[in-house]
Amino acid sequence: MIKIGLTGGIGSGKSTVSNILREQGIAVIDADIIARDVMEKYIVITDKIKSTFGEKFIDGSGKLKRREFGDYIFSNKDKKNIYEDIIMPFIKKEVFEKIDELHKRGEEICIIDGATLIESGFYKYTDIIILVWANKKTQIFRVKERDQLTENQIIDRINSQMSLEEKKKYADFVLDNSNTLDETKKQLEEILNKITMNL
Ligand code: ADP
């Protein structure tokens, strides 16, 4: 089974491309959903966040205040790294279990969709990396529409991630999603054809 890593930057269109792949019946493992689910599954993560970052990020029912915590860690690279060190082992375990399941089911390709695939080092476990790229202006414009964040909050989030230019160095394929969805679909088809040609 070919493991294809799909990554991008905030608002570059990774989720959009991931949905197109799903519609085509391709198995997609969403590492971002897994990252959210592990919080529920392993209470120890919230405990660790509480002891590391303070009680102010935990609400009355013991759950993480996602928005406040997001603002806090996304504005500081060191804090974000500490958070990722806490959560990453749990995410890895779950992703590997899902890869195993798909392999046993006889899938020929699977997509591992993750915003921090490269930063986390997880890309090393994939065979091919597709980077969904968009120019910065487009990223900011689309996130503004989607998330009701201010321009400064968006820029903070973009700057807290590895730059798309840096990510390009790791990518086998760069899909330019700065234009229409039709153009994106066309590029995606070409990329998939190249990948599956050797199956
Ligand atoms: P990411 O997952 O990389 O953060 P999304 O896939 O959610 O990005 O895309 C960000 C926003 O831009 C979404 O609201 C999405 O619907 C929109 N979008 C994505 N690609 C395009 C495109 N090619 N044309 C127009 N809007 C797009």
Side-chain angles (χ1 to χ4, degrees):
M1 184 173 72
I2 299 185
K3 299 185 284 295
I4 303 171
L6 182 74
T7 196
I10 179 168
S12 70
K14 179 181 65 63
S15 310
T16 303
V17 171
S18 174
N19 286 335
I20 297 169
L21 290 161
R22 274 201 185 87
E23 281 163 18
Q24 295 179 2
I26 295 171
V28 177
I29 298 171
D30 189 329
D32 299 334
I33 289 184
I34 289 178
R36 214 160 45 212
D37 288 351
V38 291
M39 286 271 189
E40 306 281 329
K41 199 165 166 184
Y42 303 99
I43 308 294
V44 62
I45 299 171
T46 313
D47 290 345
K48 199 89 212 274
I49 288 173
K50 193 166 144 185
S51 62
T52 308
F53 297 101
E55 291 208 18
K56 55 186 177 295
F57 298 115
I58 311 296
D59 70 14
S61 57
K63 289 223 165 76
L64 184 69
K65 294 178 187 168
R66 288 187 173 278
R67 180 54 77 101
E68 284 94 329
F69 188 62
D71 285 343
Y72 180 69
I73 58 164
F74 281 118
S75 61
N76 182 312
K77 262 195 184 130
D78 290 339
K79 287 175 183 138
K80 193 167 162 244
N81 287 340
I82 294 170
Y83 164 69
E84 275 166 3
D85 284 345
I86 294 172
I87 196 162
M88 203 48 75
F90 296 93
I91 299 174
K92 275 190 180 148
K93 177 179 179 290
E94 296 285 311
V95 173
F96 283 130
E97 279 175 19
K98 290 225 155 55
I99 289 174
D100 260 1
E101 268 171 38
L102 294 173
H103 184 60
K104 283 184 187 136
R105 207 165 82 185
E107 297 288 347
E108 286 192 317
I109 58 176
C110 85
I111 308 287
I112 300 154
D113 168 350
T116 58
L117 216 58
I118 293 167
E119 296 91 319
S120 66
F122 206 90
Y123 73 94
K124 290 178 194 147
Y125 307 111
T126 66
D127 303 307
I128 287 167
I129 298 171
I130 301 176
L131 172 69
V132 183
W133 185 92
N135 61 55
K136 212 174 229 176
K137 240 171 116 178
T138 306
Q139 266 184 292
I140 294 170
F141 175 78
R142 288 180 182 161
V143 175
K144 223 186 239 173
E145 300 265 296
R146 187 190 63 185
D147 294 341
Q148 278 92 44
L149 292 170
T150 65
E151 187 143 340
N152 280 339
Q153 283 174 317
I154 298 168
I155 290 168
D156 265 356
R157 279 161 164 72
I158 290 177
N159 289 340
S160 83
Q161 298 181 327
M162 184 190 283
S163 76
L164 288 180
E165 296 320 299
E166 186 64 24
K167 286 187 180 180
K168 268 185 181 172
K169 295 178 190 161
Y170 295 81
D172 299 287
F173 297 98
V174 178
L175 199 169
D176 181 1
N177 180 43
S178 309
N179 303 302
T180 64
L181 274 182
D182 272 351
E183 281 178 60
T184 292
K185 283 181 184 163
K186 219 183 293 165
Q187 286 178 63
L188 184 60
E189 196 184 323
E190 281 167 17
I191 292 170
L192 287 178
N193 281 342
K194 281 191 186 146
I195 293 172
T196 52
M197 219 161 55
N198 301 318
L199 273 180

